[in-house]
Amino acid sequence: MNYCSNCGSSQLVWKQPAGEHLLRQVCEQCQMIHYQNPKIIAGCLPVWENKILLCKRAIEPRYGLWTVPAGFMENGESIEEAAMRETWEEANAKVSLKSLYMMYSIMRVDQLYVLFLGQLENLDFHAGEESLEVQLFSEEEIPWKELAFHIVEKTVRNYFNDFKNHTFPTHIGKL
Amino acid sequence: MNYCSNCGSSQLVWKQPAGEHLLRQVCEQCQMIHYQNPKIIAGCLPVWENKILLCKRAIEPRYGLWTVPAGFMENGESIEEAAMRETWEEANAKVSLKSLYMMYSIMRVDQLYVLFLGQLENLDFHAGEESLEVQLFSEEEIPWKELAFHIVEKTVRNYFNDFKNHTFPTHIGKL
C-alpha cells in the first residue's frame, strides 16, 4: 500500500494504534487504520475409486505443475460453494462434498487452506481456463516431483495414507 | 475504497477484468485490480465440566452482550494460535484446544467463523480489555436473550446438545 485508500494521502506509517498490540499501516492524514488479514484458499480433493483428480496449472506461479482445484474464497459465497466453484472452474468437475479434509495455516503467505473431500459425480471432467490438463491418478501414478506446492504433496500423502486405513479425519496444522 | 492504494488515483471503477467472472474495483490509472475477500474470525468455546465460558462485550458492536472469545485472525499466526490468542486477550483464559468445533460462513458480513473446542486449564480467568465480565454458564444459566450474535446462539445450542450426546462433531454450515 503506497496511498491511503480512504483519503488518497501518501502519509502512511507503520505504528501501533492505541489499544492494539500489533503494528498497522496507519494514515497520518485521516487516521484510517489499514488492516491486513489472512486470505482463505478453498478447494476440493476430488476422488474416484482409488484415484484422485489433479490439475496441471496453466497459470503462474508453478505453471505446468500439478495441484488440487483450489483458489481464493470470494465475498458472497460460503466456503463449500467456493470449493465447488473452484472445482468447476479448474476441472469442469462436479463433486459432492463429503467432509472437511484439511485446514492448514500456510504461514509464509498468510493463507488458510480449507480443503474438502469431494466424490466425483461422473468422469465428465476436462481442463478449465486455468488448467492445461486434468487427470485422475492412483497412488502409483502420482507425479511426486511435479506437484505445485508443498501443501499439495501433504494433501496427496494424507489421502493415500487415509485410504489404506479406510478413515478420513480432518487434518489440521500449519506449514 | 475511494483512492487506489497503489497509485493514489481516484479513478476507480467497478468492472469485470479480462478472464474473470466477478466485478472488481479496478484503477483506470494504473490498472491495479483491488480484490476483496472474506475475513477469518478465529475463536474458542472454553469449557469446564458442564459449563461454558462467555465474555460480556466491552466494545461495539453489541456492547454489553455475551459472546465467545473470537476475533480476526492476523497475518503471521496459525488459526489455532489465533484462537488461543483471542481467548487470552478477551478472557485471560488458558485453554488446550481439543477439536475443530464449528466452521460457518457468515454471509452477511463475508466472514468465515472458525471455532475450536477448548478445555480450560484452570479457573484463573478474568475479563480482558475487550470484556466487561467473563463467566462460566451451565445450560440453565445461559442468558439467551443477551447473546451478542446469532452465531453465538447457534454455538451454544450445538454445544449443550452435543454435551448430552457425548459427541462433539465439527459443525459446518452457513448463516
Side-chain angles (χ1 to χ4, degrees), chain A residues 2 5 24 74 76 110 174, chain B residues 2 5 24 74 76 81 110:
Chain A
N2 303 315
S5 56
R24 311 283 186 188
E74 299 280 359
D110 291 313
K174 66 176 180 175
Chain B
N2 303 315
S5 55
R24 313 282 185 186
E74 299 280 0
E81 288 162 355
D110 291 313

Side-chain angles (χ1 to χ4, degrees), chain A residues 89-141:
Chain A
E89 285 178 7
E90 298 185 2
N92 287 279
K94 286 242 162 139
V95 287
S96 78
L97 301 185
K98 307 316 278 182
S99 64
L100 175 61
Y101 191 50
M102 288 179 70
M103 188 174 68
Y104 259 70
S105 306
I106 307 184
M107 310 299 287
R108 196 177 56 81
V109 287
D110 291 313
Q111 293 175 347
L112 184 69
Y113 172 86
V114 178
L115 193 86
F116 291 87
L117 213 54
Q119 178 63 49
L120 278 168
E121 293 188 357
N122 55 56
L123 296 182
D124 183 25
F125 53 77
H126 59 274
E129 280 179 15
E130 297 184 1
S131 306
L132 298 169
E133 285 178 59
V134 177
Q135 193 179 317
L136 284 174
F137 293 92
S138 67
E139 186 173 12
E140 295 68 35
E141 296 163 338

Side-chain angles (χ1 to χ4, degrees), chain A residues 134-153:
Chain A
V134 177
Q135 193 179 317
L136 284 174
F137 293 92
S138 67
E139 186 173 12
E140 295 68 35
E141 296 163 338
I142 295 288
W144 292 104
K145 304 266 186 205
E146 293 164 45
L147 297 181
F149 304 103
H150 190 177
I151 189 71
V152 174
E153 185 185 331

